[in-house]
Structure formats: C-alpha cells, structure tokens
Amino acid sequence: MRLIETMPGRFSLLLDAGTTQVDELVEQLGHEPNGYFWEGVAQFLVSTEAPALDGRFAYDPEGGMFCAHSEDRTVLQELAELITPVTTDGDRMRTLITSAEASGFEFDD
C-alpha cells in the first residue's frame, strides 16, 4: 500500500491487487482479489469502523489496483490504517467477508 502525492495538494492511496498475503484466501472464499474487491473492503470498513471517513475521499479502482484519492492526506492515511491489517491477516479477512455477506453487503469483484 502506497500513499503518494500525484499533484501538489492531491493524494492517492494505492494497493496493487494480487500482491497481498490474503489473496489465496479471498479466492477460496469466492472472490477475486482485484481493485474492485478492495474498494468493497474499504467501503465496508469505513461503514462499520470509521464512518467519519465516509465521503471524505473518492474511490477510483481498476481491475489491477485499488485507488482512493483526496486532497486530505490525513484521511487517506486513516484509510490505509484500516485496510493494511486486512491485507496480512487471514482471520481478519475471513471475518470481514463473513460479516459483510451476513449484512447483505455485496463485493463488486
């Protein structure tokens, strides 16, 4: 996960899809670990754990990459802190997918 300044005062949070420690688990659970899936992860985490971030950045994923952008670097740092643990912790990812699906959330992957 990288946080970069793309233009003066404009920041992007990037995650290359297919590079996390939980990709195989995501596939076993019936999802494709692409940029759109990671957007769903971010949306679910924001809605359940950090609602104060809602609407403070924009999503712009692609098949091979998750991307969120904002003029507020701090907001993207907070988003990175939410997502990063899920990229490395299989139990956390399994719980997230199970909880999301139980609540009716659908990943767009």
Side-chain angles (χ1 to χ4, degrees):
M1 184 154 299
R2 302 177 316 276
L3 179 56
I4 61 171
E5 186 170 20
T6 56
M7 295 177 13
R10 188 84 174 143
F11 304 92
S12 291
L13 178 65
L14 308 170
L15 172 66
D16 294 323
T19 63
T20 73
Q21 295 175 21
V22 296
D23 290 340
E24 187 175 317
L25 173 63
V26 170
E27 290 174 346
Q28 290 172 2
L29 295 172
H31 297 280
E32 179 67 33
N34 58 31
Y36 303 106
F37 170 80
W38 286 104
E39 177 185 2
V41 168
Q43 289 173 340
F44 188 73
L45 287 170
V46 167
S47 71
T48 59
E49 297 182 22
L53 293 179
D54 190 34
R56 297 181 61 200
F57 58 90
Y59 296 105
D60 188 19
E62 298 175 2
M65 178 180 61
F66 167 79
C67 178
H69 52 86
S70 176
E71 294 177 0
D72 186 341
R73 181 182 182 93
T74 303
V75 167
L76 295 177
Q77 287 172 323
E78 290 176 31
L79 180 60
E81 290 171 9
L82 280 175
I83 297 173
T84 299
V86 180
T87 68
T88 60
D89 185 338
D91 290 335
R92 178 97 193 257
M93 176 57 78
R94 184 181 306 276
T95 299
L96 183 142
I97 290 174
T98 301
S99 296
E101 291 174 346
S103 73
F105 184 88
E106 293 185 27
F107 293 96
D108 182 22
D109 57 340

